């Protein structure tokens, strides 16, 4: 009997030891999980305390709420046209909620511009408006018909309550992305308190906003002079007596202002070069109501660069390349 007992005992012993070891491991794992869970819970509480209660919504949701920016660009056929439009597109492509209204000075939309816009990666509308030959003389204001065509399109295709901002982006300008920037940062103000700092530029325009323009008027820059948040004068190299001594690249208008003033247009009759901005702005605003941007008009974020006139003196009139390459 003893031999049978011992034989069964030694057969069962390894299994008993295995069960004891497994139970011990499970107990240790439960302890580790409990400790880790407690640590992570404390860490989560700490992170929640470090974030303000009014955390911003997801980036995509914030972007969808932004007013749409409309850039109006008159353009005409010339050797550097595609190069100029490419420079603008490379900037505009990076701006959220953006619509490019390109208006050709032509009797019909050209193939070059149509193909370019289809591939540029920027939401766009392609229009055309021909400038009458009698207005193409030297000393006459330019791009009047094209800007007015864009204003007409906006008034026809946009609703009266749609949020948006309109600015006039000639194709010989260069823009910093900061002009379109919408930056919101949550910053620690003190222990347990937070404040939200926002840096907004063009998109926050409620009426008409203004900013400096570089390389214009025979100076390094021109700008509105601002005191106590109000425009009180103009730093300019040409005709400071203008009602709005500002370049076309130096202002933006809320879409609702455009829609609420259907007769506000760029003048052709009696208009003089350099006066188009004043003639247009005095129809929709007053100097004291202008909204200074770009750090109270102390920062240049747009430049009137103008591409150098191209020298094509060596372009052959005969024996040209066998390929016709678009430039």
């Amino acid at each position: 009997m003893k031999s049978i007992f011992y034989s069964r005992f030694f057969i069962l012993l390894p299994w008993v030891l295995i069960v004891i070891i497994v139970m011990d491991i499970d107990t240790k794992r439960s302890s580790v999980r409990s400790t880790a869970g407690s640590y992570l819970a404390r860490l989560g509480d700490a992170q929640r305390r470090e974030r303000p209660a009014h955390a911003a919504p997801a980036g995509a949701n914030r972007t969808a709420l932004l007013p749409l920016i409309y850039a109006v660009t008159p353009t005409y056929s010339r050797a550097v046209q595609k190069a100029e439009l490419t420079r603008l597109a490379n900037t505009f492509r990076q701006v959220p909620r953006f619509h490019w209204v390109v208006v050709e000075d032509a009797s019909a939309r050209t193939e070059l511009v149509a193909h370019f816009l289809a591939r540029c990666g920027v939401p766009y509308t392609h229009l055309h408006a021909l400038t009458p030959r009698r207005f193409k003389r030297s000393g006459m204001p330019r791009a009047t018909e094209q800007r007015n065509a864009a204003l007409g399109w906006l008034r026809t295709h946009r609703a009266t309550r749609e949020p948006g901002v309109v600015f006039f982006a000639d194709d010989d300008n260069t823009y910093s992305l900061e002009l379109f920037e919408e930056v919101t940062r949550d910053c620690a103000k003190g222990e347990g308190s937070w404040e939200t700092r926002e840096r907004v530029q063009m998109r926050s325009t409620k009426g008409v906003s203004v900013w400096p323009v570089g390389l214009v008027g025979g100076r390094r820059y021109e700008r509105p002079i601002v005191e106590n948040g109000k425009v009180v004068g103009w730093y300019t190299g040409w005709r400071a007596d203008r009602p709005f001594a500002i370049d076309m690249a130096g202002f933006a208008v809320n879409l609702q202002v455009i829609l609420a003033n259907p007769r506000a247009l760029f003048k052709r009759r009696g208009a003089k070069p350099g006066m188009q901005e004043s003639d247009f702005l005095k129809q929709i605003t007053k100097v004291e109501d202008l909204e200074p941007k770009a750090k109270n008009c102390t920062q240049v974020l747009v430049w009137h660069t103008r591409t150098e006139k191209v020298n094509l003196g060596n372009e052959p009139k005969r024996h040209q390349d066998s390929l016709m390459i678009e430039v």
Side-chain angles (χ1 to χ4, degrees), residues 105-117:
D105 185 353
S107 58
R109 289 176 289 189
T110 65
E111 188 174 337
L112 182 147
V113 176
H115 286 174
F116 169 80
L117 291 173

Side-chain angles (χ1 to χ4, degrees), residues 1-2 5 12 15 27 32 37 118 144 147 158-159 164 182 193 216 218-219 251 263 270 274 304:
M1 292 292 293
K2 287 185 178 180
F5 172 78
L12 294 173
W15 294 103
T27 302
V32 170
T144 301
R147 295 188 184 106
R158 291 299 175 261
E182 308 292 319
S193 63
V216 68
R219 293 191 174 184
F251 67 91
R263 294 187 178 181
H304 198 179

Side-chain angles (χ1 to χ4, degrees), residues 55 59 76-77 121 128 181 187 193 202 218 235 276 282 285 288:
Y76 64 98
S77 180
H128 66 91
E181 220 172 29
C187 308
S193 63
M202 178 193 301
Y235 176 80
Q276 279 194 308
K282 68 185 182 183
T285 191
E288 55 266 29

Side-chain angles (χ1 to χ4, degrees), residues 5-24:
F5 172 78
Y6 283 121
S7 64
R8 291 181 177 176
F9 174 77
F10 286 115
I11 290 172
L12 294 173
L13 181 61
W15 294 103
V16 173
L17 292 175
I18 290 172
V19 171
I20 293 172
I21 291 171
V22 170
M23 290 176 65
D24 184 59

Side-chain angles (χ1 to χ4, degrees), residues 29 33 54 70 73 125 200 208 213 225 254 297 299 310:
R29 283 180 177 172
R33 287 173 186 159
H54 56 283
Y70 295 91
T73 299
T125 294
V200 292
V208 178
V213 178
I225 299 172
N254 188 289
C297 296
Q299 189 178 25
V310 177

